[in-house]
Amino acid sequence: MIDIHHHLLFETDDGPKDIESSVAQAEVAMADGITHIACTPHANDTFEFNPEKNREKLEAIRARVGDALTLGLGCDFHLSYENIEDALKHPTKFTINQGKYLLVEFAEFMIPQSIGDTFYEFTVKGIRPIITHPERNPILQKEHQKMAEWMRSGCLVQITASSLVGRFGKRAQVLAWDLLEKNWVHFIATDAHNLEGRRPAMRPAYEMLAKKYGEGTAARLCTENPRAAFENRSEERRVGKECRSR
């Protein structure tokens, strides 16, 4: 399985506090069956996003875990005015492995009415937004139909593996499965931060998806589509009509 949303870099944001914690987190991820991780620290008004420092920390972790785990870089991109302007000027600064895929996170208190225009500007610059964990956003929990327009303009959707098993509460769990039923989901990822409440676990979600929709869909959402984003290849496949609920 390939995890495109994972806070693995130490001393960078609210993820691991030291390299030992990063290595331990990586080892738990590998034991879960994760083979690739895009390290995606926050870029917001609390945490500085510094590509050079991020690369240094990634190399330090890689030196400890070896070739058993393939590591890449990305960003948990908060949609602030400053970030948006920076991304438009530097289209690959925040994207996964400097490709076209960008994880975007909405604030919990407001979604600008102009966000559709922003997403259009991103696509003009060659950026493909991936809306992260909409099932956990209080606004989208009430108004998730907003995503239909954004998806028509090219946005993709990632839900959190732990949401499917109820880790973030009943409302998030219900919406996560509802989005799958609507065929609106392209990626499953951990959004792991630590080994306590935000562990790097994809296997339980994979098994639930395989049971409900079939092995092909589980592989598509947890491995095939994430690999396309990790390697900067085009992907369009979601649940798929052939794998609807049985």
Side-chain angles (χ1 to χ4, degrees):
M1 295 175 290
I2 296 175
D3 190 5
I4 62 168
H5 187 174
H6 192 130
H7 297 260
L8 186 66
L9 302 183
F10 57 96
E11 299 175 345
T12 302
D13 57 7
D14 55 347
K17 301 304 181 185
D18 51 45
I19 190 169
E20 298 300 332
S21 299
S22 291
V23 171
Q25 195 166 305
E27 289 174 344
V28 169
M30 287 188 284
D32 186 68
I34 295 169
T35 61
H36 297 61
I37 292 176
C39 303
T40 54
H42 290 288
N44 58 23
D45 56 3
T46 302
F47 301 109
E48 176 192 13
F49 184 83
N50 186 310
E52 291 74 23
K53 290 182 179 179
N54 294 345
R55 173 63 63 182
E56 291 174 3
K57 294 178 188 296
L58 179 144
E59 294 299 340
I61 298 169
R62 180 179 284 154
R64 294 284 298 273
V65 302
D67 297 334
L69 183 65
T70 301
L71 299 176
L73 286 175
C75 175
D76 193 352
F77 184 87
H78 292 232
L79 288 159
S80 66
Y81 174 81
E82 293 77 13
N83 273 0
I84 291 168
E85 290 298 302
D86 197 3
L88 291 173
K89 292 177 182 177
H90 309 97
T92 63
K93 177 178 178 179
F94 302 95
T95 54
I96 296 173
N97 292 327
Q98 295 187 303
K100 61 185 176 183
Y101 295 97
L102 175 68
L103 301 177
V104 298
E105 179 175 3
F106 289 112
E108 295 187 351
F109 56 87
M110 183 188 69
I111 296 177
Q113 292 187 352
S114 62
I115 195 64
D117 295 333
T118 298
F119 288 152
Y120 173 76
E121 292 182 75
F122 278 170
T123 59
V124 169
K125 291 290 186 176
I127 299 171
R128 195 81 186 273
I130 300 175
I131 300 167
T132 62
H133 51 72
E135 80 283 359
R136 291 163 42 199
N137 182 281
I139 298 174
L140 291 178
Q141 284 178 345
K142 299 176 182 177
E143 305 175 18
H144 63 273
Q145 296 297 332
K146 291 177 180 287
M147 292 196 299
E149 177 184 350
W150 305 333
M151 292 172 66
R152 283 193 292 269
S153 69
C155 289
L156 306 170
V157 175
Q158 173 255 305
I159 61 176
T160 308
S162 295
S163 292
L164 296 175
V165 300
R167 163 65 182 79
F168 293 98
K170 191 67 174 179
R171 180 173 289 185
Q173 184 181 31
V174 169
L175 181 54
W177 285 105
D178 183 50
L179 295 176
L180 285 163
E181 285 294 317
K182 291 179 183 294
N183 199 18
W184 285 14
V185 178
H186 303 81
F187 308 96
I188 306 294
T190 68
D191 193 9
H193 282 63
N194 51 55
L195 294 182
E196 289 73 50
R198 303 286 293 276
R199 293 175 65 83
M202 291 182 72
R203 177 62 59 185
Y206 185 101
E207 292 175 352
M208 293 176 75
L209 288 165
K211 183 177 181 180
K212 186 173 180 63
Y213 297 114
E215 189 76 22
T217 288
R220 189 173 303 137
L221 298 182
C222 297
T223 302
E224 295 170 14
N225 288 351
R227 184 185 299 278
F230 196 91
E231 297 178 353
N232 192 33
R233 295 184 285 105
S234 296
E235 66 73 39
E236 295 295 340
R237 305 177 72 193
R238 288 171 266 176
V239 173
K241 292 181 179 179
E242 77 283 5
C243 297
R244 303 302 281 173
S245 182
R246 296 175 175 180

